[in-house]
């Protein structure tokens, strides 16, 4: 019998560990990621790898500076996941230094400065994305059409190296606005929506992801698949995704009904941009979302509301990162006020009282 | 018997599904352990005051003879598990993680295993009044045998203070590995059901829910069969989920009501007793036999031949291990009870007691110890907690040293079921924090109590002294006054006398 182990039970444990949780999240991201990498070709792969490697190195470096053991923390997979998620939200042909700076911001500023694993208030990937968007608006909004690997227009390996690591104007040839970006511009020019929408891709293409957009955000269907897998595996509860997407769809539907000419419909809101990715993988980030069910519902609804508001009335076509960060800031408050009801007590924490007849008298 | 198939169950929150590992011992019929060379019978095997020894070194005792009587209302007597000679009454390591020495009677069996002749079996026990049943249960030293070890008679007497309507028999046995209740229900269904009926009579309720988890279909069937000719017993199949056997959650599952915080299930009209307790009640009343043995599951990956054994109270645990073929490998850990809520054993010398339901020798495969990582706020513990607590918050407050705020978060509502720690991906020993905090609070309360008591005593003393002083002063003043009076009278007299003369 070993001495150092705990005195109290349980003496059996579920097959759970941090690395298993992170691994499951990565597994469920895999289909959409592979699709994104395939569709945007070698430059996307380079960017993806750069971001992840930079995150892991930044993590190891910070742990070393903080004097913490490196191996267990690097092995837990959280840094890889942060890099992965960040890369998913970057324009696929962005230069390597976008990935690198993003990684440093995410790991060092957003995570380790707060105290490392589990201590950060904001979602590291979203902090990085917002900071990048503000600092490098040009690079962060330059999207390109899908040019699937092995297709005729796809850049070759060397050309791709030049796109990611050197200076190549190849992107200008294939640059294209995202659906939301396009609609926003057209609306700004006074074009009515039904007209503007004729030039965007079909719903089916949005569903599959055959459209321009961030590296891993385009395929709503594959992301949805991964998200459902996470719920099935009980890594996340269904409450945040459902309340977030529900709120977004509800608002979009409502305004679209009122004025179809200037408000984008719910399908486009749900399927384009980072909505699905956010609902299942970003808003549900374990560390930065509330822990109680009621808290999660409120959090999800808040995200949905803010995303809609930012997309519709603010200057950016996409509002996911801002929305999530704003809600992250509310998480401690939500957790403080929305606790589960304790067994045998009412919501105020007073013991339940039953009258003599045995009926509730709460 | 009414059918339990259509019985409506209510949902409880949280819970986990640990690998139940019952197949290791579920197929083994109960065997009687051969007489051990020595028995160590602790005087305290129950919640409440320890029993008071009635025997001395050298006494010869018969099987079933009273060895120690209960002290106070919440206590239980202890009887001789076999005939033999008392070797001494003194300190012996307790069946407790601390292994501290507690007062224990050591008995050397004489091998005759001879019963006391003045047992009082009772054939027409249906004629007994509730008082008589409770009284006999008290005298037989029966305590809650599911592990709680609360004196059963006290629970049977709840009818005096509460309006009860239902007796629930807890046959959930939701802890992994344990199979002793399962075997008892399968092999001694008649005795169990008779015991249950006796308890219902003592409680004066005519509604019995016999709850058994669905992973024990054989037990359900045999209890159904044994209860066929009574219509007050309903056998209810429970979903297999831990902690289904937690008293308050079991009751909620069955009647749909939560027991008020800090209250008893009796507050909502329900009393819960365990299967093994029911058999002990039958033995005590029908056969007149006190509680001197119980069934234990000896199992775990490190045990050669896992078994269910009927052991005499006081049997040192190494006898059980030997009987089960010894260890297959050096066990990583020895546990008394189940793996979720059981406690580590300090050594195998400690005796089996009334509340021991299992002896587990776990290998490191089943018990992988992983290093503790920081909390990632994954909410697994929140989802798993059957009590609606936020374990991560409580642990954080305890770590930060603010016990009072952890109490505000519901620390005292935690039933220490371990579901939270079971699922935590960061392997944070949450229950350990909670138990530490509860212990700390209890000891603070004791200190506070002691301080108050000392203060009260000191004040009382000062007051007493004051009183004495005052009394003295008054007495003196009175004497003085009297003296003066006398003097004056004398003077008066003298004056009068002077005047007369
Ligand atoms: S299960 Fe463990 S890691 Fe997850 S929130 Fe609870 S304490 Fe934190
Ligand atoms: S041990 Fe306490 S906090 Fe943890 S799950 Fe059980 S009741 Fe909840």
């Amino acid at each position: 019998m070993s001495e150092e182990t705990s005195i109290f039970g349980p003496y059996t444990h579920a097959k759970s560990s941090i690395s298993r949780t992170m691994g499951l999240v990565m597994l469920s991201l895999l289909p959409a990621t592979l699709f994104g990498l395939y569709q945007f070709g070698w430059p996307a792969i380079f960017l993806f790898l750069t971001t992840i490697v930079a995150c892991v190195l930044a993590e190891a470096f910070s742990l070393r500076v903080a004097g913490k053991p490196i191996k267990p923390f690097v092995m837990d997979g959280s840094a890889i996941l942060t890099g992965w998620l960040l890369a998913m939200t970057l324009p696929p042909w962005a230069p390597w230094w976008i990935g690198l700076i993003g990684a440093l911001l995410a790991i060092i500023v957003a995570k380790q400065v707060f105290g490392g694993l589990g201590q950060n208030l904001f979602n590291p990937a979203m902090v990085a994305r917002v900071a990048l968007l503000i600092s490098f608006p040009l690079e962060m909004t330059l999207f390109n059409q899908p040019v699937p690997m092995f297709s005729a227009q796809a850049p070759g390996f060397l050309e791709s190296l030049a796109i990611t690591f050197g200076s190549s104007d190849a992107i200008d040839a294939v640059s294209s606005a995202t659906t939301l970006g396009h609609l926003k511009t057209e609306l700004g020019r006074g074009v009515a929506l039904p007209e503007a929408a004729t030039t965007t891709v079909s719903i089916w293409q949005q569903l599959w992801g055959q459209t321009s957009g961030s590296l891993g955000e385009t395929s709503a269907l594959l992301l949805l698949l991964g998200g459902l897998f996470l719920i099935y595996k009980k890594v996340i509860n269904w409450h945040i995704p459902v309340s977030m997407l529900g709120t977004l769809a509800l608002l979009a539907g409502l305004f679209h009904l009122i004025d179809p000419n200037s408000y984008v419909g719910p399908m486009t809101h749900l399927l384009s941009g980072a909505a699905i990715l956010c609902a299942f993988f970003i808003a549900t980030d374990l560390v930065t979302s509330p822990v109680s069910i009621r808290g999660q519902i409120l959090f999800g609804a808040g995200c949905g509301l803010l995303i809609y508001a930012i997309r519709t009335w603010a200057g950016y076509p996409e509002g996911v990162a801002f929305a999530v960060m704003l809600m992250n800031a509310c998480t401690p408050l939500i957790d403080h006020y929305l606790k589960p009801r304790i067994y045998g007590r009412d919501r105020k924490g007073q013991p339940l009282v039953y009258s003599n007849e045995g009926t509730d008298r709460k | 018997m009414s059918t339990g198939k259509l019985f409506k169950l209510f949902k409880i929150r949280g819970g986990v599904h640990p690998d139940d590992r019952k197949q290791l011992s579920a197929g083994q019929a109960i065997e009687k352990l051969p007489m051990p060379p020595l028995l160590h019978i602790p005087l305290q095997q129950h919640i409440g005051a320890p029993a008071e020894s009635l025997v001395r070194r050298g006494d010869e005792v018969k099987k079933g003879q009273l060895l120690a009587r209960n002290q106070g209302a919440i206590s239980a007597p202890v009887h001789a598990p076999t005939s033999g000679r008392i070797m001494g009454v003194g300190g012996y390591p307790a069946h407790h993680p601390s292994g501290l020495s507690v007062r224990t009677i050591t008995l050397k069996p004489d091998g005759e295993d001879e019963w006391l002749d003045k047992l009082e079996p009772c054939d027409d026990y249906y004629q007994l009044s509730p008082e008589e049943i409770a009284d006999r249960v008290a005298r037989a030293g029966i305590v809650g045998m599911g592990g709680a070890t609360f004196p059963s008679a006290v629970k049977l007497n709840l009818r005096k203070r509460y309006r009860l309507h239902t007796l629930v028999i807890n046959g959930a046995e939701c802890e992994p590995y344990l199979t002793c209740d399962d075997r008892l229900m399968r092999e001694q269904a008649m005795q169990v059901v008779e015991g249950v009926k006796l308890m219902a009579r003592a409680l004066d309720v005519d509604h019995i829910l016999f709850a058994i988890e669905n992973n024990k279909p054989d037990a359900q069937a045999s209890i159904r069969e044994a209860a066929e000719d009574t219509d007050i017993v309903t056998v209810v199949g429970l979903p297999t989920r831990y902690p289904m056997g937690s008293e308050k959650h079991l009751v909620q599952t069955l009647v749909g009501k939560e027991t008020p915080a800090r209250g008893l299930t009796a507050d909502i009209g329900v009393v819960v007793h365990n299967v093994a307790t029911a058999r002990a009640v039958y033995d005590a009343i029908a056969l007149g036999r006190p509680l001197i043995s119980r069934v234990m599951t000896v199992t775990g990956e490190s045990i050669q031949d896992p078994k269910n054994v009927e052991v005499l109270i006081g049997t040192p645990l190494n006898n059980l291990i030997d009987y089960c073929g010894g260890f297959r490998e050096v066990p990583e850990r020895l546990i008394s009870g189940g793996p979720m809520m059981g406690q580590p054993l300090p050594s195998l010398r400690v005796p089996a007691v009334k509340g021991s339901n299992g002896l587990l020798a776990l290998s490191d495969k089943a018990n992988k110890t992983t290093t503790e990582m920081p909390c990632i706020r994954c909410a697994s513990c929140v989802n798993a907690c059957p009590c609606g607590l936020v374990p991560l918050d409580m642990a954080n407050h305890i770590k930060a040293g603010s016990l009072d705020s952890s109490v505000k978060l519901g620390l005292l509502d935690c039933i220490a079921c371990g579901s939270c720690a079971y699922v935590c991906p960061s392997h944070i020993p949450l229950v350990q924090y909670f138990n530490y905090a509860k212990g700390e609070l209890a000891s603070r309360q004791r200190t506070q109590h002691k301080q108050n008591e000392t203060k009260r005593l000191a004040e009382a003393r000062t007051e007493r002294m004051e009183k004495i002083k005052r009394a003295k002063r008054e007495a003196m003043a009175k004497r003085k006054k009297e003296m003066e009076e006398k003097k004056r009278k004398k003077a008066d007299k003298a004056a009068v006398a002077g005047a007369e003369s």
Side-chain angles (χ1 to χ4, degrees):
Chain A
M1 288 195 275
S2 38
E3 283 294 302
E4 80 285 2
T5 44
S6 63
I7 316 175
F8 293 104
Y11 301 100
T12 173
H13 198 278
K15 286 187 201 67
S16 62
S17 65
I18 296 186
S19 43
R20 181 171 179 272
T21 303
M22 300 294 165
L24 282 172
V25 178
M26 290 185 231
L27 187 65
S28 48
L29 277 172
L30 200 60
T33 310
L34 288 179
F35 180 80
L37 294 179
Y38 160 76
Q39 144 150 304
F40 297 112
W42 284 111
I45 297 180
F46 294 147
L47 181 68
F48 183 71
L49 292 179
T50 308
T51 314
I52 290 185
V53 170
C55 274
V56 173
L57 291 180
E59 175 97 344
F61 170 77
S62 316
L63 287 170
R64 176 138 201 178
V65 171
K68 286 188 193 163
I70 296 178
K71 201 174 150 222
F73 284 97
V74 167
M75 293 305 286
D76 68 24
S78 59
I80 303 179
L81 182 59
T82 301
W84 191 321
L85 277 172
L86 174 62
M88 299 278 280
T89 66
L90 296 177
W93 285 17
W96 63 278
W97 50 267
I98 286 278
L100 176 70
I101 295 176
L104 297 180
L105 285 168
I107 297 291
I108 297 178
V109 178
K111 181 176 173 189
Q112 295 294 348
V113 165
F114 278 86
L117 182 66
Q119 303 296 312
N120 46 302
L121 179 60
F122 298 105
N123 185 326
M126 290 303 102
V127 172
R129 177 164 168 166
V130 164
L132 288 172
L133 193 62
I134 294 172
S135 322
F136 310 105
L138 188 70
E139 285 82 357
M140 285 298 285
T141 49
L142 201 54
F143 293 96
N144 56 290
Q145 281 165 7
V147 278
M149 276 223 170
F150 318 119
S151 68
Q153 317 96 301
F157 188 79
L158 290 178
E159 196 186 340
S160 304
L161 276 179
I163 292 173
T164 309
F165 296 102
S167 53
S168 158
D169 315 329
I171 188 160
D172 294 339
V174 289
S175 80
S176 147
T178 61
T179 306
L180 286 171
H182 168 74
L183 294 177
K184 188 139 200 139
T185 327
E186 294 291 281
L187 273 174
R189 291 196 321 178
V191 180
L193 261 184
E195 220 170 297
T198 52
T199 46
T200 63
V201 293
S202 70
I203 290 283
W204 174 244
Q205 277 169 313
Q206 285 179 15
L207 205 59
W208 253 117
Q210 291 157 319
T211 164
S212 59
S214 300
L215 200 161
E217 289 177 359
T218 54
S219 178
L221 201 66
L222 294 177
L223 287 168
L224 190 68
L225 201 73
L228 293 180
F229 175 73
L230 277 191
I231 294 178
Y232 168 72
K233 278 288 178 191
K234 297 211 169 91
V235 174
I236 56 171
N237 288 331
W238 55 265
H239 304 81
I240 291 181
V242 168
S243 68
M244 185 198 121
L245 295 176
T247 309
L248 184 60
L250 204 73
L251 286 172
L254 202 68
F255 281 96
H256 187 66
L257 268 185
I258 296 171
D259 182 0
N261 282 336
S262 30
Y263 292 101
V264 181
M267 263 334 235
T268 311
H269 267 292
L270 291 185
L271 295 183
S272 55
I276 298 281
L277 179 73
C278 172
F280 290 97
F281 297 95
I282 293 172
T284 54
D285 170 39
L286 302 172
V287 176
T288 55
S289 62
V291 294
S292 74
I293 299 292
R294 290 189 304 154
Q296 290 174 357
I297 293 177
L298 180 68
F299 180 89
C303 285
L305 175 78
L306 287 171
I307 290 174
Y308 186 76
I310 294 171
R311 279 181 177 181
T312 312
W313 296 296
Y316 293 95
E318 179 54 288
V320 163
F322 294 102
V324 168
M325 279 185 66
L326 280 169
M327 287 315 289
N328 283 164
C330 301
T331 295
L333 216 61
I334 295 180
D335 265 344
H336 184 78
Y337 286 105
L338 291 185
K339 290 201 173 67
R341 185 182 60 78
I342 298 176
Y343 178 100
R345 295 182 184 273
D346 60 18
R347 285 251 176 247
K348 290 198 202 75
Q350 296 306 314
L352 296 179
V353 180
Y354 295 104
S355 62
N356 284 338
E357 291 83 60
T359 45
D360 297 26
R361 200 180 57 190
K362 271 178 261 174
Chain B
M1 188 202 80
S2 42
T3 167
K5 281 259 160 59
L6 301 165
F7 195 86
K8 182 176 182 307
L9 293 176
F10 298 84
K11 250 186 92 103
I12 57 170
R13 282 181 291 176
V16 292
H17 297 270
D19 182 5
D20 78 4
R21 319 248 47 203
K22 290 184 192 276
Q23 69 281 11
L24 285 175
S25 56
Q28 304 293 320
I30 299 171
E31 294 171 33
K32 238 187 154 101
L33 189 79
M35 185 65 68
L38 271 184
L39 294 172
H40 300 281
I41 309 139
L43 293 179
Q44 174 143 38
Q45 305 178 39
H46 48 263
I47 289 179
E52 187 188 5
S53 174
L54 299 172
V55 290
R56 282 202 314 215
R57 189 194 160 118
D59 286 359
E60 297 283 345
V61 295
K62 287 277 169 12
K63 183 172 184 172
Q65 184 176 332
L66 185 66
L67 293 183
R69 65 159 174 251
N70 48 325
Q71 287 194 94
I74 301 191
S75 180
V78 173
H79 301 78
T82 184
S83 58
R85 179 195 289 271
I86 303 295
M87 302 304 287
V89 183
Y92 192 79
H95 189 109
H96 182 269
S98 66
L100 285 178
S101 167
V102 290
R103 269 183 85 72
T104 303
I105 298 174
T106 300
L107 172 67
K108 188 174 170 56
D110 58 11
E112 304 294 322
D113 205 26
E114 195 181 332
W115 279 99
L116 202 64
D117 356 292
K118 51 174 205 267
L119 293 177
E120 307 166 53
C122 180
D123 291 331
D124 51 350
Y125 43 81
Y126 290 122
Q127 304 309 316
L128 294 175
S129 69
E131 280 78 16
E132 281 170 312
I133 297 174
D135 182 50
R136 283 178 188 233
V137 167
R139 277 189 285 137
I142 298 176
V143 301
M145 290 169 73
T149 69
F150 191 78
S152 300
V154 179
K155 251 172 137 181
L156 289 179
N157 279 327
L158 287 175
R159 70 172 187 288
K160 296 178 181 160
R161 288 189 291 134
Y162 295 89
R163 288 174 48 166
L164 305 175
H165 53 75
T166 305
L167 165 63
V168 167
I169 299 301
N170 188 349
E173 204 167 48
C174 59
E175 277 268 12
Y177 290 95
L178 302 185
T179 54
C180 50
D181 287 354
D182 182 19
R183 291 308 312 188
L184 213 47
M185 291 186 278
R186 279 153 77 172
E187 297 178 36
Q188 307 185 13
M190 191 280 289
Q191 288 93 319
V192 170
V193 170
E194 289 303 297
V196 168
K197 288 198 273 188
L198 280 165
M199 289 199 280
R201 179 147 173 76
L203 289 165
D204 199 16
V205 299
D206 42 19
H207 193 181
I208 303 170
L209 296 176
F210 202 127
I212 307 172
E213 272 192 1
N214 288 335
N215 59 358
K216 293 181 266 296
D218 294 346
Q220 290 176 344
S222 63
I223 293 293
R224 274 207 181 101
E225 199 188 310
E228 210 150 35
D229 50 354
T230 66
D231 50 7
I232 58 168
V233 182
T234 309
V235 179
V236 183
L238 297 172
T240 306
R241 175 148 57 140
Y242 180 89
M244 198 41 95
S246 143
E247 208 170 272
K248 293 178 176 183
H249 293 90
L250 179 62
V251 168
Q252 190 194 359
T253 308
L254 294 170
V255 307
K257 260 195 215 168
E258 291 184 7
T259 305
R262 331 273 331 120
L264 300 175
T265 56
D267 285 321
I268 50 175
V270 185
V271 172
V272 183
H273 279 287
N274 166 271
V275 169
T277 314
R279 195 208 58 167
V281 166
Y282 171 81
D283 285 355
I285 291 177
L287 311 178
R289 295 179 177 173
L291 174 56
I292 53 168
S293 72
R294 67 157 300 142
V295 182
M296 277 177 78
T297 304
V298 185
T299 183
E301 288 75 17
S302 304
I303 296 278
Q304 192 67 38
D305 308 309
K307 285 184 196 310
N308 298 292
V309 233
E310 172 119 33
V311 288
L312 296 179
I313 302 299
T315 307
L317 297 181
N318 43 25
N319 291 309
L320 274 75
I321 301 280
D322 292 344
Y323 183 67
C324 295
F327 295 126
R328 223 177 252 275
E329 63 203 347
V330 180
E332 178 75 8
R333 211 184 269 277
L334 292 167
I335 314 276
S336 165
M340 295 297 288
M341 287 183 80
Q343 297 199 306
L345 286 164
S347 91
L348 284 172
R349 287 173 61 213
V350 303
V353 291
K354 292 175 182 177
S356 346
N357 46 8
L359 169 55
L360 266 53
L362 301 182
S363 72
D364 51 351
K365 267 172 269 141
N367 176 49
K368 235 188 291 158
T369 42
T370 322
T371 38
E372 181 181 345
M373 295 286 284
C375 170
I376 54 166
R377 295 179 35 87
C378 69
S380 300
C381 53
V382 184
N383 293 337
C385 180
C387 296
L389 302 170
V390 184
L392 71 152
D393 272 359
M394 297 200 303
N396 278 341
H397 281 97
I398 293 167
K399 252 191 264 183
S402 51
L403 296 189
D404 295 332
S405 57
S406 72
V407 169
K408 275 203 202 93
L409 291 170
L411 178 69
L412 300 179
D413 292 301
C414 163
I415 58 169
C417 68
S419 301
C420 50
Y422 173 79
V423 293
C424 176
S426 294
H427 294 258
I428 300 172
L430 295 159
V431 179
Q432 197 161 341
Y433 285 117
F434 305 154
N435 282 347
Y436 154 78
K438 286 176 193 167
E440 189 67 28
L441 284 168
S443 87
R444 269 193 208 170
Q445 219 164 31
R446 273 196 301 276
T447 326
Q448 185 68 39
H449 183 76
K450 225 176 180 170
Q451 276 171 358
N452 289 349
E453 198 65 357
T454 324
K455 209 166 132 203
R456 199 180 60 81
L457 286 178
E459 274 167 6
R461 196 183 128 91
T462 336
E463 201 175 308
R464 221 166 40 237
M465 298 307 267
E466 275 301 309
K467 222 175 181 173
I468 294 173
K469 258 194 217 156
R470 217 175 325 137
K472 259 190 197 156
R473 253 201 317 264
E474 270 166 20
M476 244 154 71
K478 205 165 153 203
R479 247 201 340 259
K480 216 165 146 193
K481 224 160 120 196
E482 274 172 10
M483 296 272 278
E484 270 166 15
E485 198 100 316
K486 248 189 217 160
K487 253 193 213 156
R488 220 180 50 226
K489 269 192 189 152
K490 237 190 202 163
D492 284 357
K493 253 191 205 157
V496 172
E500 276 175 0
S501 66

